[in-house]
Amino acid sequence: MHIRKLAIGPSPAPSGGVIVPLEIPEVVIDRLPTYYRLLSRLQEEGSTVVSSQELGQALNVTPAQIRKDLSYFGRFGKQGRGYSVERLTEELRLILGLTRRWRMVLVGAGHLGRAIASYRGFEPQGFDIVAAYDIYPDESGELLGIPVRDVANLEADLAADPVDIGIVAVPAGQAQAVVDRLVRVGVSAILNYAPIAAQVPPHIEVRQIDPVLALQGMTYHLQHRALSATAPTATTAPTAPVATPAPAPVTP
Amino acid sequence: MHIRKLAIGPSPAPSGGVIVPLEIPEVVIDRLPTYYRLLSRLQEEGSTVVSSQELGQALNVTPAQIRKDLSYFGRFGKQGRGYSVERLTEELRLILGLTRRWRMVLVGAGHLGRAIASYRGFEPQGFDIVAAYDIYPDESGELLGIPVRDVANLEADLAADPVDIGIVAVPAGQAQAVVDRLVRVGVSAILNYAPIAAQVPPHIEVRQIDPVLALQGMTYHLQHRALSATAPTATTAPTAPVATPAPAPVTP
DNA sequence: TAGATTGTTAATCGATTAACAATC
DNA sequence: TAGATTGTTAATCGATTAACAATC
């Protein structure tokens, strides 16, 4: 069901002048931003070279995986030395499309939307929220410097002045409708903060931001760790251990 | 490098009273919260039964995967009918450890920390932020009903009154030190909003929340989609297509 | 040069999926 | 009963890793 690889990537080893489109696994692409983030920091800190070993240690990834991932895009290292921090940072900027700025609209200017609008992390990385939309736009018509307009204007505004990415921050009940409207009006990617699995056509990118899902993935482990700690032996454990209430798992 | 499976899971088919610890892949566990979220909504909407087919359609996952995932934990469905929404919701609550509330502390009460503190999505799902910490606690000593204390008190407070989960919302430069302190004082899980790959001992859970990483995974695709749309044929594409500046990818 | 580290291949490991008997 | 759908097996597919020749 997942689309795993895409065939529109560049050639890893351009030979003979003909581009060989190579399938680049989606998991690889999703790791590149973490590589880029670390390299940016290393560059700021003044490092000039770094090995896959060092990168791997800092990112909890095997050195082999880092080398393999990078090899999909080219040969950026030097045997015996490692990678130039400056060079590799720049290559990743190019690969990830971070040499331009990206325009985003925010739909939903309630509690969550306001928190997103106030987030300081987007702008320095090249992402601009150019407008926000709500069913009940504040009469001020403005939110931290971003114009807030009635969502009824969404289609007309974006037709006149397109954006690349839509951010969805409306309640679950309205989220799919908002996604549909954003897609119809031409955004190519959606950052979804609403607690739904958004349905989109094949070539629209979607990423979900949901801290509750992340927490629930962790509580599974916390509970089961606690259970296994209290179960004296495997044979005396209850038949349906999942159903057993867990004691508090934390003690200093 | 990734720990893939864990052996502390329950038996999938308890036979003969002896628990057979089965390895449950981490990817499976990370899908369960999305199943739970959908089922909760179906229950609210009054559905009584649902098939793996219907669940799969709503979640963009194959029905086979849903059945396989659930089969790690037991046999919850009825052939010819599907799953009882009520039953399956409850089973997932038990599996994920959501029958109790989880205590969290928030470290960092700046812009980001305040946005996290104001997020309305934690409490209804059983997650409570019981205290916040900052180097410069506001003289009010309070933030939306949550006590804000000097981070110097972190160790003493948590020793007296342990929590399960630490939320990290400090600048990158201080984040690893905060993670270390939280781990030392006994939290079992960390929700990391800081832009670093946190280093933790083996049995501490970490999840990263970073919308910029999500965006950068999408811009890769947006850029390359635009590139392949403009490249007339494969053979005339540039030798290093990754380095070619991309035109604006969106047009309605 | 000797030492180190890349890029890449091949082997291993793990996850997904198709298919179907069991059964409601 | 006939129809539908689960639970599970086996096959397929894909990702990770170890290992090493190439080479800086």
Side-chain angles (χ1 to χ4, degrees):
Chain A
M1 197 44 99
H2 282 266
I3 293 161
R4 267 297 149 49
K5 301 186 167 185
L6 53 154
I8 53 173
S11 163
S15 54
V18 178
I19 298 300
V20 182
L22 188 85
E23 301 203 337
I24 297 166
E26 185 62 33
V27 281
V28 171
I29 289 153
D30 282 340
R31 279 192 293 264
L32 298 183
T34 65
Y35 299 170
Y36 173 69
R37 192 176 61 179
L38 174 60
L39 284 157
S40 303
R41 190 149 63 91
L42 290 175
Q43 194 170 19
E44 276 173 25
E45 291 170 6
S47 304
T48 56
V49 287
V50 68
S51 65
S52 60
Q53 169 108 216
E54 294 168 308
L55 291 173
Q57 257 158 16
L59 294 170
N60 306 312
V61 157
T62 61
Q65 183 158 76
I66 288 180
R67 296 200 302 275
K68 183 112 223 286
D69 286 354
L70 295 175
S71 76
Y72 284 104
F73 301 96
R75 299 183 312 287
F76 308 129
K78 282 215 197 330
Q79 282 104 324
R81 302 264 304 141
Y83 300 90
S84 152
V85 170
E86 190 182 348
R87 163 96 195 278
L88 191 50
T89 307
E90 186 56 20
E91 294 287 353
L92 285 168
R93 274 172 57 82
L94 294 167
I95 292 166
L96 291 171
L98 305 178
T99 55
R100 52 163 286 193
R101 301 194 69 83
W102 295 90
R103 292 163 52 82
M104 315 194 287
V105 288
L106 169 63
V107 183
H111 259 89
L112 180 55
R114 285 199 291 273
I116 295 165
S118 72
Y119 181 55
R120 309 290 185 82
F122 292 131
E123 189 276 332
Q125 295 301 318
F127 295 95
D128 298 309
I129 300 177
V130 299
Y133 293 88
D134 202 280
I135 355 169
Y136 303 119
D138 203 279
E139 63 274 358
S140 77
E142 202 238 22
L143 170 59
L144 304 150
I146 300 164
V148 181
R149 293 169 56 72
D150 192 301
V151 73
N153 299 304
L154 186 70
E155 282 77 6
D157 285 6
L158 293 204
D161 203 9
V163 301
D164 309 296
I165 299 163
I167 305 179
V168 177
V170 299
Q174 295 139 62
Q176 184 59 52
V178 166
V179 167
D180 292 343
R181 288 176 70 180
L182 285 167
V183 168
R184 224 176 304 118
V185 82
V187 306
S188 308
I190 284 174
L191 190 65
N192 179 31
Y193 284 80
I196 61 151
Q199 303 292 319
V200 293
H203 286 99
I204 304 291
E205 294 294 318
V206 184
R207 295 291 188 284
Q208 170 112 28
I209 303 291
D210 192 330
V212 168
L213 294 184
L215 288 170
Q216 291 173 341
M218 295 199 289
T219 56
Y220 170 86
H221 296 282
L222 301 197
Q223 175 188 231
H224 286 259
R225 202 158 299 152
L227 283 174
S228 64
T230 49
T233 70
T235 36
T236 53
T239 309
V242 156
T244 309
V250 173
T251 20
Chain B
M1 199 40 103
H2 283 267
I3 293 160
R4 267 298 149 48
K5 301 186 167 182
L6 52 153
I8 53 173
S11 164
S15 55
V18 178
I19 297 299
V20 183
L22 189 86
E23 301 203 337
I24 296 166
E26 185 63 33
V27 280
V28 171
I29 289 153
D30 282 340
R31 279 192 292 265
L32 298 183
T34 64
Y35 299 171
Y36 173 69
R37 192 175 62 178
L38 174 60
L39 284 157
S40 303
R41 189 148 64 91
L42 290 174
Q43 193 170 20
E44 276 174 24
E45 291 170 6
S47 304
T48 56
V49 287
V50 67
S51 65
S52 60
Q53 168 109 216
E54 294 168 307
L55 290 173
Q57 257 157 17
L59 294 170
N60 307 312
V61 157
T62 61
Q65 182 159 78
I66 288 179
R67 296 200 301 275
K68 183 112 225 284
D69 285 354
L70 295 176
S71 76
Y72 284 104
F73 301 96
R75 299 183 312 287
F76 307 129
K78 281 216 197 330
Q79 281 105 324
R81 304 261 308 138
Y83 300 90
S84 153
V85 171
E86 190 182 346
R87 162 96 195 279
L88 190 50
T89 307
E90 186 55 20
E91 294 287 353
L92 285 168
R93 273 172 57 82
L94 294 167
I95 292 166
L96 290 170
L98 304 178
T99 55
R100 52 163 285 194
R101 300 194 70 83
W102 295 90
R103 293 163 53 81
M104 314 194 288
V105 289
L106 169 63
V107 184
H111 260 89
L112 180 55
R114 286 199 290 272
I116 295 165
S118 72
Y119 181 55
R120 309 289 186 83
F122 292 131
E123 189 277 331
Q125 295 302 319
F127 296 95
D128 298 310
I129 300 177
V130 298
Y133 293 88
D134 202 279
I135 355 169
Y136 303 119
D138 203 278
E139 63 275 358
S140 76
E142 203 238 22
L143 171 59
L144 303 149
I146 300 164
V148 181
R149 293 170 57 71
D150 191 301
V151 72
N153 299 304
L154 186 69
E155 282 77 6
D157 286 7
L158 293 203
D161 202 9
V163 302
D164 309 296
I165 300 163
I167 305 179
V168 177
V170 298
Q174 295 140 62
Q176 184 59 52
V178 166
V179 167
D180 292 343
R181 290 176 69 180
L182 285 167
V183 168
R184 225 177 304 119
V185 82
V187 308
S188 308
I190 285 173
L191 190 65
N192 179 31
Y193 284 80
I196 61 151
Q199 304 292 320
V200 293
H203 286 99
I204 304 291
E205 294 293 318
V206 184
R207 295 291 187 282
Q208 170 111 30
I209 302 292
D210 192 330
V212 168
L213 294 184
L215 288 170
Q216 291 174 341
M218 296 200 289
T219 56
Y220 170 85
H221 296 282
L222 302 196
Q223 175 188 231
H224 287 259
R225 201 158 299 153
L227 281 175
S228 65
T230 50
T233 70
T235 36
T236 54
T239 310
V242 155
T244 309
V250 172
T251 21

